[in-house]
């Protein structure tokens, strides 16, 4: 009997580098209308949430501006730079972030990308 292997064309993957998060094409589609995001860390469960923030939300002052991070959208990827957050994640997982890939899920109810730091690819 064949066991079908999971493909990566539609998998949401986030790669952690020393200075940034890089989202693959499937993951960055969730940010196509956002140039800003918020990043939250759940230290207990070792998870990171990245929430896309729309221009409308910024104009309505729904979120404090100091909590926003710039999202750079490239062709087929997105990048969010923040060395301090990457260093914090590195401390949580006890590994250097030098291209570590994590599968992510998108929580439609809360509209955020969830990265499980317990499950590197």
């Amino acid at each position: 009997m064949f066991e079908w292997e999971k493909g990566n064309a539609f998998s949401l993957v986030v790669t952690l580098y020393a200075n940034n998060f890089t989202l693959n094409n499937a993951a960055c589609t969730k940010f196509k209308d956002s140039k800003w995001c918020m990043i939250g860390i759940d230290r207990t469960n070792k998870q990171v949430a990245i929430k896309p923030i729309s221009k409308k939300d910024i104009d309505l002052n729904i979120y404090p501006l100091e909590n926003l991070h710039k999202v750079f959208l490239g062709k087929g990827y997105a990048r969010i730079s923040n060395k301090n957050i990457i260093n914090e994640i590195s401390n949580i997982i006890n590994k250097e972030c030098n291209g570590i890939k994590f599968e992510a899920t998108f929580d439609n109810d809360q509209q955020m990308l969830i990265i499980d730091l317990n499950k590197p690819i």
Side-chain angles (χ1 to χ4, degrees), residues 30-84:
K30 307 297 184 182
F31 293 80
K32 66 182 178 187
D33 298 322
S34 302
K35 293 186 179 183
W36 300 94
C37 70
M38 291 192 329
I39 300 172
I41 299 174
D42 178 344
R43 289 163 185 79
T44 304
N45 295 312
K46 293 186 177 180
Q47 292 182 327
V48 175
I50 304 175
K51 181 175 181 62
I53 305 299
S54 70
K55 179 164 177 16
K56 179 182 173 185
D57 290 345
I58 292 171
D59 291 343
L60 294 172
N61 289 322
I62 293 175
Y63 303 106
L65 294 178
E66 61 269 12
N67 290 356
L68 300 181
H69 304 271
K70 182 79 172 132
V71 177
F72 172 79
L73 293 170
K75 195 168 193 156
Y77 71 96
R79 184 165 292 139
I80 305 160
S81 297
N82 191 307
K83 189 172 183 171
N84 291 333

